[in-house]
Amino acid sequence: MGLDFLDNGSIFEHAITCAEFGKFHYFLLALCGLIYLNCAISVSVVSFVLPSAQCDFSLSSTDKGLLNAIPLLGMLLGAYFWGCLADMHGRKKTLIAALLMDGIFSLVSSVLTFFWPFLFCRFFSGFGLSGYLGICFPYLGEFQPKIYREKVLSWLEMFWTVGIILVPLIAWAIIPMTANYDIGIFRYSSWNIFLTLCSLPSIILALWLTRFPESPKFLLECGEFDEALDCLKRIYTENTGEPGDAYPVRRPSR
C-alpha cells in the first residue's frame, strides 16, 4: 500500500498500525510522561521557594504577587509561539528547544541573588514551559495506532498527578535543610538547591529526546515521505525485532 497521508488519512492510520505497538511506544510514553511530570513540577516550583525567597530578596507583597504571576505570563505569551513553531519546524525540535529554554533559565535563576534578574529568568522559564506542556501530547499521539491513541494519552495524564505529589515531597526534603553558602554578594541556600534540582530534568529530557525520531505524521504533512517511511520502519523494527525491509508499507512509485 502506498504511503500518502495527504491524499487519504486512513492510509496513514494503516501505516502506523502496520508498525505495530510495542517497545518503542513504551519508551516514548516514558519520555513524554516524564516531560509532563516535569511540567507539573515546573509549574509549582515557585510556590515552594517563595517563603524562603521572600527573606533573601526582601520581597514586598507586590513583589511576591509578581513573582507568582510572571511564569504564568511567560506561559501565556509562549503558547502561540511554540504552537506555530511546532507546525513549521516539527514537534521534536520544538520540544527540545522548549525544554532547554525552561531548564537553562530555571538553572540560571537558581544561582541569582537579585530579584529582577531572577524574575526575568522565571519569565523565560515559563515561556519555555508552555512549549513542552502543549506539544508533548500531539508528539506522543501522532505515533500511536488509532486503537491505542486515547488510552496512551490517558496514561500520560497520570504523570501530572505523580509530579504534583512528588514536588512537595522534594521541597519538604530539601528546603528545610540548613545549607547556606555566602561568598560576598553570592548566597546559595537550600531553596536554591531545590530550584537547581528541579531545573535539571528539563535539560536531561531534552538530551534524551534527541534519540527519538520526528513525528511521522508531521513528516508526511511536509511531504518528506522517505523520512516518514524510515521512521515507520524504525518503529516496526523496535516493536517486532524484524528488519525494516519487512515493513509491509511501501513508498508509492513516482
Side-chain angles (χ1 to χ4, degrees), residues 34 37-38 40-41 48 159-173 194 198:
L34 290 173
L37 184 152
N38 187 56
I41 292 176
F48 291 96
F159 285 87
W160 180 277
T161 304
V162 175
I164 289 296
I165 295 171
L166 190 60
V167 64
L169 296 178
I170 299 172
W172 176 73
F194 173 70
C198 290

Side-chain angles (χ1 to χ4, degrees), residues 12-240:
F12 171 74
E13 294 295 348
H14 171 77
I16 199 69
T17 300
C18 286
E20 301 196 19
F21 185 88
K23 183 172 70 173
F24 174 87
H25 294 91
Y26 290 120
F27 277 110
L28 184 64
L29 175 61
L31 170 65
C32 292
L34 290 173
I35 290 174
Y36 202 47
L37 184 152
N38 187 56
C39 289
I41 292 176
S42 297
V43 165
S44 309
V45 70
V46 170
S47 301
F48 291 96
V49 304
L50 189 57
S52 299
Q54 175 185 356
C55 299
D56 287 358
F57 290 142
S58 301
L59 301 181
S60 65
S61 295
T62 302
D63 293 334
K64 289 188 287 184
L66 189 59
L67 182 54
N68 268 320
I70 203 70
L72 301 178
L73 178 61
M75 293 174 66
L76 176 66
L77 298 178
Y80 181 78
F81 170 81
W82 293 114
C84 293
L85 199 66
D87 286 339
M88 291 189 295
H89 297 288
R91 285 77 163 105
K92 176 184 171 180
K93 291 179 181 177
T94 303
L95 274 172
I96 291 173
L99 284 163
L100 288 176
M101 175 175 280
D102 174 43
I104 291 170
F105 277 99
S106 184
L107 183 62
V108 171
S109 74
S110 71
V111 298
L112 294 175
T113 55
F114 296 99
F115 176 63
W116 288 104
F118 182 83
L119 202 65
F120 175 85
C121 287
R122 296 316 306 180
F123 171 83
F124 281 101
S125 173
F127 192 94
L129 170 60
S130 66
Y132 63 88
L133 174 62
I135 297 168
C136 67
F137 275 88
Y139 181 71
L140 176 63
E142 288 172 4
F143 282 95
Q144 309 304 318
K146 186 175 181 179
I147 190 173
Y148 294 105
R149 192 168 298 141
E150 292 182 0
K151 182 184 296 185
V152 170
L153 293 177
S154 296
W155 290 344
L156 182 60
E157 284 288 354
M158 293 191 300
F159 285 87
W160 180 277
T161 304
V162 175
I164 289 296
I165 295 171
L166 190 60
V167 64
L169 296 178
I170 299 172
W172 176 73
I174 295 175
I175 294 178
M177 294 169 57
T178 56
N180 191 10
Y181 304 96
D182 288 299
I183 306 174
I185 62 171
F186 179 76
R187 180 183 179 88
Y188 195 76
S189 304
S190 57
W191 69 269
N192 300 99
I193 297 173
F194 173 70
L195 265 185
T196 300
L197 290 177
C198 290
S199 67
L200 294 178
S202 293
I203 299 172
I204 295 169
L205 290 169
L207 296 176
W208 189 18
L209 183 55
T210 62
R211 307 293 297 175
F212 285 79
E214 179 56 87
S215 159
K217 182 178 178 182
F218 173 79
L219 293 172
L220 287 168
E221 289 176 339
C222 293
E224 298 178 6
F225 298 107
D226 292 331
E227 291 83 353
L229 186 57
D230 289 341
C231 174
L232 291 165
K233 286 181 177 180
R234 172 183 168 179
I235 297 170
Y236 176 79
T237 297
E238 291 191 25
N239 286 340
T240 65

